[in-house]
Amino acid sequence: MKPQILALLGSPLPEGNTAKLLKQAIAGAEKAGCEVTPIDVPSLEFSSCREMYYCKEQSSCIMEDDMGTMYPLLKNMDSLIIATPVMTMGIPGHLKSFMDRCQVFYCAKYERKAPLIPKEKRKTRKTLLLSISGMNLPNNFDGIKISTLAFCDILDCKLADELFIRDMDNKVDLDRFPDLLKEAYDKGFALGSALTGSS
């Protein structure tokens, strides 16, 4: 069975620049021999976390919505790709709510001291973070990175690589910058190669 990678799109634009980056990273990971499952997060139907803490006692959430199908994918994946734009200096709302709903993993790891991810898998799971920002400021990606580091920690899927692209308001369309798309492809290939041993 091929290594399984989950690819989260946080942008509400399925054909936008963030999606173009993700498409290239997915192609690279697939070339390395992995199977990639893309998830269009804004299209999922779920509520934000209500902090009911049912997950303190159970390995599931009391709310019944699309997140219920996401937990097994997050648990069983071998690695993760996250692609998101910067909005208000942070992660867009739907993707942030997706991350917040992973209290299921947080409570298992830190409340019950019984992580949902097997020990051997924790050693090899890695995350690739792709992000674009309209502006060109020195701290454009600070909020994105802090939240992603916390998310990766509770999922036992270490943040291993990143690609940050600034000044998209002037770049406009990443199709005009094949070198950046190639960099996303290469990073996806490297993530997949770490699982398959491809070169």
Side-chain angles (χ1 to χ4, degrees), residues 131-146:
S131 187
I132 65 170
S133 173
M135 296 184 290
N136 186 12
L137 300 173
N139 60 345
N140 276 162
F141 301 100
D142 290 2
I144 293 273
K145 188 160 183 179
I146 289 169

Side-chain angles (χ1 to χ4, degrees), residues 2-173:
K2 294 181 178 181
Q4 302 294 303
I5 295 178
L6 202 63
L8 303 179
L9 177 62
S11 171
L13 302 175
E15 304 298 327
N17 286 309
T18 306
K20 290 175 183 178
L21 279 183
L22 183 58
K23 183 178 179 180
Q24 291 300 313
I26 288 172
E30 290 177 337
K31 181 66 174 179
C34 295
E35 183 173 333
V36 184
T37 302
I39 303 293
D40 181 8
V41 175
S43 72
L44 298 176
E45 296 288 338
F46 63 89
S47 298
S48 58
C49 181
R50 299 289 190 261
E51 294 191 76
M52 299 175 191
Y53 287 121
Y54 178 82
C55 57
K56 277 191 175 182
E57 307 297 332
Q58 307 291 330
S59 296
S60 60
C61 180
I62 198 170
M63 292 192 284
E64 296 182 0
D65 51 28
D66 284 353
M67 285 303 297
T69 62
M70 294 296 105
Y71 298 136
L73 295 176
L74 290 163
K75 178 181 177 181
N76 296 321
M77 69 184 184
D78 295 296
S79 281
L80 176 66
I81 304 172
I82 301 172
T84 181
V86 174
M87 291 187 177
T88 325
M89 300 303 283
I91 291 174
H94 219 69
L95 178 57
K96 184 58 167 62
S97 290
F98 181 100
M99 292 178 170
D100 293 344
R101 283 289 301 277
C102 288
Q103 288 289 336
V104 166
F105 293 89
Y106 176 89
C107 287
K109 184 175 181 179
Y110 290 110
E111 297 286 341
R112 299 199 306 277
K113 311 299 181 188
L116 298 180
I117 313 306
K119 187 175 181 180
E120 285 306 309
K121 209 162 196 174
R122 279 179 251 158
K123 296 177 181 178
T124 56
R125 281 163 56 115
K126 295 179 181 178
T127 298
L128 167 62
L129 173 62
L130 311 170
S131 187
I132 65 170
S133 173
M135 296 184 290
N136 186 12
L137 300 173
N139 60 345
N140 276 162
F141 301 100
D142 290 2
I144 293 273
K145 188 160 183 179
I146 289 169
S147 292
T148 301
L149 284 167
F151 183 56
C152 291
D153 176 70
I154 66 172
L155 290 180
D156 285 304
C157 192
K158 180 182 177 182
L159 180 58
D161 201 2
E162 60 197 31
L163 174 58
F164 294 154
I165 300 175
R166 305 171 187 274
D167 203 26
M168 280 306 306
D169 287 347
N170 287 314
K171 289 184 172 71
V172 182
D173 189 348

